[in-house]
Amino acid sequence: DTGVSQNPRHKITKRGQNVTFRCDPISEHNRLYWYRQTLGQGPEFLTYFQNEAQLEKSRLLSDRFSAERPKGSFSTLEIQRTEQGDSAMYLCASSFGKQGLGGYTFGSGTRLTVV
Amino acid sequence: DQQVKQNSPSLSVQEGRISILNCDYTNSMFDYFLWYKKYPAEGPTFLISISSIKDKNEDGRFTVFLNKSAKHLSLHIVPSQPGDSAVYFCAASLDYNNDMRFGAGTRLTVKP
């Protein structure tokens, strides 16, 4: 068990390009979350999967954002037609069951810079 | 709508002294409150939590206090160590959904 793995660690892209990030959760965790963190702010919830089903989406997740977890294991987050405002750290987290008092396990994040 | 607020962006304490990090919230329906610690270039790490039905939870050097009437919680670290230097996030969630709300974080520096 190597924890939650996110790739790539850094991504620089030109405005208007599409980008895709990958998250590999802890293997026995059935729940997977995506968060976004901008400078000086705490993480903000984007979306949540239980197994392969996407059960919750934040209003922050515009139509340009799509997330998948096809086999209930790894997940991808795609941003189409990137904008400068998309520049942020994208964090993935996982848990077994509801996080309740136990918290999530976060990955180290993918830092996106849109130029 | 920022439902969880950490009004102190930074805190500096001397090694061996107490560190007190504060957090305020607006939603009285929150069921769980959590503290995460974040080192540079790493994701947040879960530290300690408390249920809304309790007013104190202790784990080693870390104690979280919850004052529901004031909608306030605090994290006490005693004694503080240089390795505690990190950004601390307060978070809160409802039992029926998975949208955990985070504060903006407080950067703690513990000086040797």
Side-chain angles (χ1 to χ4, degrees), chain A residues 65-95:
Chain A
F65 286 70
S66 63
E68 294 183 341
R69 194 182 183 197
K71 297 182 180 178
S73 58
F74 73 92
S75 175
T76 57
L77 178 67
E78 181 183 17
I79 309 174
Q80 296 182 329
R81 306 181 303 282
T82 52
E83 301 173 356
Q84 286 188 322
D86 297 331
S87 296
M89 175 72 82
Y90 289 84
L91 292 162
C92 176
S94 68
S95 68

Coordinates of all heavy atoms in Angstrom, one line a residue, chain A residues 65-95:
Chain A
F65 N -15.4 20.3 -17.1 CA -14.8 19.3 -16.2 C -15.5 18.0 -16.3 O -16.8 17.9 -16.2 CB -14.8 19.7 -14.7 CG -13.8 20.8 -14.4 CD1 -14.0 22.1 -14.9 CD2 -12.7 20.6 -13.6 CE1 -13.2 23.1 -14.6 CE2 -11.8 21.6 -13.3 CZ -12.1 22.9 -13.8
S66 N -14.8 16.9 -16.4 CA -15.4 15.6 -16.3 C -14.5 14.6 -15.6 O -13.3 14.6 -15.7 CB -15.8 15.0 -17.7 OG -14.6 14.8 -18.4
A67 N -15.1 13.8 -14.7 CA -14.4 12.8 -14.0 C -15.0 11.4 -14.2 O -16.2 11.3 -14.4 CB -14.4 13.2 -12.5
E68 N -14.1 10.4 -14.2 CA -14.5 9.1 -14.4 C -13.8 8.2 -13.4 O -12.7 8.4 -13.0 CB -14.3 8.6 -15.8 CG -15.0 9.3 -16.9 CD -14.7 8.7 -18.3 OE1 -13.7 8.0 -18.4 OE2 -15.5 8.9 -19.2
R69 N -14.4 7.1 -13.1 CA -13.8 6.0 -12.3 C -14.3 4.7 -12.9 O -15.2 4.0 -12.3 CB -14.1 6.1 -10.9 CG -13.2 5.3 -10.0 CD -13.6 5.4 -8.5 NE -12.6 4.6 -7.7 CZ -12.9 4.2 -6.5 NH1 -14.0 4.5 -5.9 NH2 -12.0 3.5 -5.8
P70 N -13.8 4.3 -14.1 CA -14.5 3.3 -14.9 C -14.6 1.9 -14.3 O -15.6 1.2 -14.4 CB -13.6 3.2 -16.2 CG -12.3 3.9 -15.8 CD -12.6 4.9 -14.8
K71 N -13.7 1.5 -13.5 CA -13.8 0.1 -12.9 C -13.8 0.2 -11.4 O -13.5 -0.8 -10.8 CB -12.6 -0.8 -13.4 CG -12.7 -1.0 -14.9 CD -11.6 -1.9 -15.4 CE -11.6 -2.1 -16.9 NZ -10.5 -3.0 -17.4
G72 N -14.1 1.3 -10.9 CA -14.1 1.5 -9.4 C -12.7 1.5 -8.8 O -12.6 1.3 -7.6
S73 N -11.7 1.6 -9.7 CA -10.3 1.7 -9.1 C -9.7 3.1 -9.3 O -10.0 4.0 -8.6 CB -9.4 0.6 -9.7 OG -9.4 0.7 -11.1
F74 N -8.9 3.3 -10.4 CA -8.3 4.6 -10.6 C -9.4 5.5 -11.1 O -10.5 5.1 -11.6 CB -7.1 4.5 -11.5 CG -7.5 4.2 -13.0 CD1 -7.7 5.3 -13.8 CD2 -7.7 2.9 -13.4 CE1 -8.1 5.1 -15.2 CE2 -8.0 2.7 -14.8 CZ -8.3 3.8 -15.6
S75 N -9.1 6.8 -11.0 CA -10.0 7.8 -11.5 C -9.2 8.8 -12.4 O -8.0 9.0 -12.2 CB -10.7 8.6 -10.4 OG -11.5 9.6 -10.9
T76 N -9.9 9.4 -13.4 CA -9.3 10.5 -14.2 C -10.2 11.7 -14.0 O -11.4 11.6 -13.9 CB -9.2 10.1 -15.6 OG1 -10.5 9.7 -16.1 CG2 -8.2 9.0 -15.8
L77 N -9.5 12.9 -14.1 CA -10.2 14.2 -14.1 C -9.7 14.9 -15.3 O -8.5 15.1 -15.5 CB -9.9 15.0 -12.8 CG -10.5 16.4 -12.8 CD1 -12.0 16.3 -12.6 CD2 -9.9 17.2 -11.6
E78 N -10.7 15.2 -16.2 CA -10.3 15.9 -17.5 C -10.9 17.3 -17.4 O -12.0 17.5 -17.0 CB -10.9 15.2 -18.7 CG -10.5 15.9 -20.0 CD -11.1 15.2 -21.2 OE1 -12.0 14.4 -21.1 OE2 -10.6 15.5 -22.3
I79 N -10.0 18.3 -17.9 CA -10.5 19.6 -18.0 C -10.4 20.0 -19.5 O -9.3 19.9 -20.1 CB -9.7 20.6 -17.2 CG1 -9.6 20.2 -15.7 CG2 -10.3 22.0 -17.3 CD1 -8.7 21.0 -14.8
Q80 N -11.4 20.4 -20.1 CA -11.4 20.7 -21.5 C -11.3 22.3 -21.6 O -11.8 23.0 -20.8 CB -12.7 20.2 -22.2 CG -12.8 18.7 -22.2 CD -14.0 18.3 -23.0 OE1 -15.1 18.9 -23.0 NE2 -13.9 17.1 -23.6
R81 N -10.7 22.7 -22.7 CA -10.6 24.1 -23.0 C -10.1 24.9 -21.8 O -10.8 25.8 -21.3 CB -11.9 24.7 -23.6 CG -12.4 23.9 -24.8 CD -13.7 24.5 -25.3 NE -14.8 24.5 -24.3 CZ -15.5 23.5 -23.9 NH1 -15.3 22.3 -24.4 NH2 -16.4 23.6 -22.9
T82 N -9.0 24.6 -21.3 CA -8.5 25.1 -20.0 C -8.5 26.7 -20.0 O -8.2 27.3 -21.1 CB -7.1 24.6 -19.6 OG1 -6.2 24.8 -20.7 CG2 -7.1 23.2 -19.2
E83 N -8.7 27.3 -18.9 CA -8.7 28.7 -18.7 C -7.7 29.0 -17.6 O -7.4 28.1 -16.8 CB -10.1 29.2 -18.3 CG -11.2 28.9 -19.3 CD -12.6 29.2 -18.8 OE1 -12.7 29.7 -17.6 OE2 -13.5 29.1 -19.6
Q84 N -7.2 30.3 -17.5 CA -6.2 30.6 -16.5 C -6.8 30.4 -15.1 O -6.0 30.1 -14.2 CB -5.8 32.1 -16.7 CG -4.8 32.2 -17.9 CD -4.2 33.6 -18.0 OE1 -4.9 34.6 -17.8 NE2 -3.0 33.6 -18.5
G85 N -8.1 30.6 -15.0 CA -8.7 30.4 -13.7 C -8.7 28.9 -13.2 O -9.0 28.7 -12.0
D86 N -8.3 28.0 -14.1 CA -8.3 26.6 -13.7 C -6.9 26.3 -13.0 O -6.8 25.2 -12.5 CB -8.4 25.7 -14.9 CG -9.7 25.8 -15.6 OD1 -10.7 26.2 -14.9 OD2 -9.8 25.7 -16.9
S87 N -6.0 27.2 -13.0 CA -4.7 27.0 -12.4 C -4.9 26.8 -10.9 O -5.5 27.6 -10.2 CB -3.8 28.2 -12.6 OG -3.5 28.4 -14.0
A88 N -4.5 25.6 -10.4 CA -4.7 25.2 -9.0 C -4.0 23.9 -8.7 O -3.4 23.3 -9.6 CB -6.2 25.0 -8.8
M89 N -4.1 23.5 -7.5 CA -3.6 22.1 -7.1 C -4.9 21.3 -7.1 O -5.9 21.6 -6.5 CB -3.0 22.2 -5.7 CG -2.6 20.8 -5.2 SD -1.2 20.1 -6.1 CE 0.1 20.9 -5.1
Y90 N -4.8 20.2 -7.8 CA -6.0 19.2 -7.9 C -5.6 18.0 -7.0 O -4.6 17.3 -7.2 CB -6.3 18.8 -9.3 CG -6.9 20.0 -10.0 CD1 -6.1 21.0 -10.6 CD2 -8.3 20.2 -10.1 CE1 -6.7 22.1 -11.3 CE2 -8.9 21.3 -10.7 CZ -8.0 22.2 -11.3 OH -8.6 23.3 -11.9
L91 N -6.4 17.8 -5.9 CA -6.1 16.8 -4.9 C -7.1 15.7 -5.1 O -8.3 15.9 -5.2 CB -6.2 17.4 -3.5 CG -5.2 18.4 -3.1 CD1 -5.6 19.2 -1.9 CD2 -3.9 17.7 -2.8
C92 N -6.6 14.5 -5.0 CA -7.5 13.3 -4.9 C -7.4 12.7 -3.5 O -6.3 12.8 -2.9 CB -7.0 12.3 -6.0 SG -7.9 10.7 -6.0
A93 N -8.4 12.1 -3.0 CA -8.4 11.5 -1.7 C -9.3 10.2 -1.8 O -10.1 10.1 -2.7 CB -9.0 12.4 -0.7
S94 N -9.1 9.3 -0.9 CA -9.9 8.1 -0.9 C -10.2 7.7 0.6 O -9.5 8.1 1.5 CB -9.2 7.0 -1.6 OG -8.0 6.5 -1.0
S95 N -11.2 6.9 0.7 CA -11.6 6.4 2.0 C -12.3 5.1 1.9 O -12.8 4.8 0.8 CB -12.4 7.4 2.8 OG -13.7 7.5 2.2

